[in-house]
Amino acid sequence: MPATPKPAGEDYVGRFAPSPTGPLHFGSLVAALASYLDARANNGQWLVRIEDVDETRCDASYADAILATLDTFGLDWDGEVIVQSRRKARYQEVLATLEAAGQTYHCECSRKEIADSAVMGIDGPVYPGTCRHKNLPAHGAAIRFASPAGAVEFEDRLQGKQIQNVERAVGDFVIRRRDGLAAYQLAVVVDDFDSGITDIVRGADLLDSTARQIVLQRALGYPTPRYLHFPVVSNNDGEKLSKQTLAAPVATGDRIGVLRGALHFLRQPEIQRVADCRQLLAAAVANWQPETISRSRSLVFPDKT
Ligand code: GLU
């Protein structure tokens, strides 16, 4: 059944959800900008959420630096910044709901065991369901969500119709890790629901995660937001800009120039001379044409060809 798209307009609530694993790089600036422009062009709210659920990879100083950078670029958010590491009790509550509904099970398979016995899926090995009927105790185990059978269908505003059978493409997936931390897929679904997010505009590296998020939304009785996945920025080796690929922090000297670069990446119309970032952003909101963004999943920038 296709997810029902929400009408854009007064009730639009969007968000930018950076993981503070490093300073804001050009790829994350593009993500911030695209979600900001789409929200503002729809008279919507734009929230910022610090995705530090994976405490083993995050650092509070990066979170502060990211917020300071957004501020320097004139990307003003609405309301309080939401911080995942402060929401653990909430994730626990939702986990308990799913457990009580019999939609989860404990798993003690190691990565190696899974890799040895599984076929490859869209995001690593497909979990073969080894622990599904073992009724293992909670201690030291991960919690997996028992993926429903059948295909999930949704319409991405840019990438068009998407169909994924989560059970076959991923298998039962982890929603609470062995170390007790909530997994990204669960945290993101709970956070988006609690914030009343109607529209998710993010990089296409997360397109394959969307069906997992939709099956969780359905299990919890949450509405499905609208989605738009734009190409991620990659370097000349075709790798996504990230901390792992040693992406440089976004330059804050010529901020207008950097924003113009990000607008160019998103294939938005050129903007005439402006005095500052906020003026440029206001013009970019007025010109916003999400349908002209490239449908590629990844694009090199700057493009040297
Ligand atoms: N925290 C994720 C990232 O930085 C984004 C998650 C999302 O937008 O759903 O890639």
Side-chain angles (χ1 to χ4, degrees):
M1 203 177 66
T4 322
K6 292 232 165 202
E10 294 294 313
D11 66 349
Y12 184 117
V13 186
R15 51 46 159 207
F16 171 53
S19 303
T21 53
L24 199 82
H25 52 72
F26 184 72
S28 16
L29 182 76
V30 166
L33 182 65
S35 56
Y36 173 91
L37 295 177
D38 200 57
R40 297 302 186 220
N42 284 287
N43 295 318
Q45 293 183 55
W46 185 64
L47 311 185
V48 172
R49 177 168 79 228
I50 298 294
E51 297 214 316
D52 59 351
V53 67
D54 184 354
E55 290 170 359
T56 57
R57 291 175 56 231
C58 299
D59 190 312
S61 66
Y62 289 135
D64 294 342
I66 290 170
L67 295 175
T69 309
L70 293 177
D71 189 52
T72 346
F73 279 92
L75 291 159
D76 301 327
W77 59 89
D78 295 303
E80 294 281 312
V81 172
I82 298 133
V83 182
Q84 286 186 327
S85 56
R86 297 190 197 135
R87 290 176 44 76
K88 289 185 202 161
R90 175 71 180 130
Y91 304 142
Q92 202 44 55
E93 189 179 285
V94 176
L95 272 164
T97 312
L98 289 171
E99 286 199 278
Q103 288 173 298
T104 64
Y105 60 89
H106 294 123
C107 166
E108 53 184 24
C109 296
S110 66
R111 273 175 200 272
K112 180 162 181 337
E113 281 164 342
I114 299 170
D116 286 350
S117 65
V119 289
M120 283 312 273
I122 48 159
D123 199 9
V126 176
Y127 183 64
T130 323
C131 295
R132 201 177 226 203
H133 301 293
K134 284 193 185 164
N135 231 338
L136 293 169
H139 187 71
I143 298 178
R144 287 186 185 269
F145 177 72
S147 296
V152 172
E153 216 178 289
F154 68 98
E155 187 71 27
D156 185 274
R157 289 168 57 200
L158 191 63
Q159 312 286 343
K161 186 173 177 164
Q162 306 292 313
I163 304 175
Q164 188 190 102
N165 183 319
V166 180
E167 196 194 19
R168 287 197 208 131
V170 187
D172 299 335
F173 55 93
V174 171
I175 53 175
R176 197 204 66 190
R177 303 171 4 167
R178 280 180 103 129
D179 59 9
L181 294 173
Y184 158 72
Q185 305 293 356
L186 180 79
V188 82
V189 164
V190 178
D191 293 341
D192 286 333
F193 173 71
D194 286 354
S195 298
I197 300 297
T198 61
D199 284 77
I200 295 180
V201 174
R202 63 184 178 190
D205 54 328
L206 292 164
L207 189 58
D208 286 339
S209 283
T210 307
R212 265 168 279 179
Q213 294 169 17
I214 292 176
V215 292
L216 281 177
Q217 289 157 4
R218 290 181 182 167
L220 290 161
Y222 298 169
T224 291
R226 298 199 312 168
Y227 290 95
L228 187 159
H229 289 88
F230 53 81
V232 294
V233 183
S234 51
N235 62 22
N236 282 318
D237 298 325
E239 303 162 325
K240 179 192 167 198
L241 296 191
S242 69
K243 190 185 173 194
Q244 287 72 34
T245 56
L246 305 176
V250 77
T252 48
D254 174 18
R255 292 191 288 278
I256 294 179
V258 172
L259 282 177
R260 284 189 191 282
L263 287 170
H264 181 73
F265 180 85
L266 293 167
R267 304 207 176 148
Q268 297 302 296
E270 289 281 336
I271 290 165
Q272 299 305 307
R273 278 179 75 85
V274 287
D276 58 27
C277 287
R278 283 181 173 80
Q279 232 184 55
L280 184 84
L281 290 172
V285 167
N287 286 347
W288 179 236
Q289 289 172 18
E291 59 288 350
T292 62
I293 303 172
S294 162
R295 285 182 172 76
S296 308
R297 286 214 184 186
S298 148
L299 281 179
V300 175
F301 189 87
D303 189 358
K304 302 247 167 28
T305 55

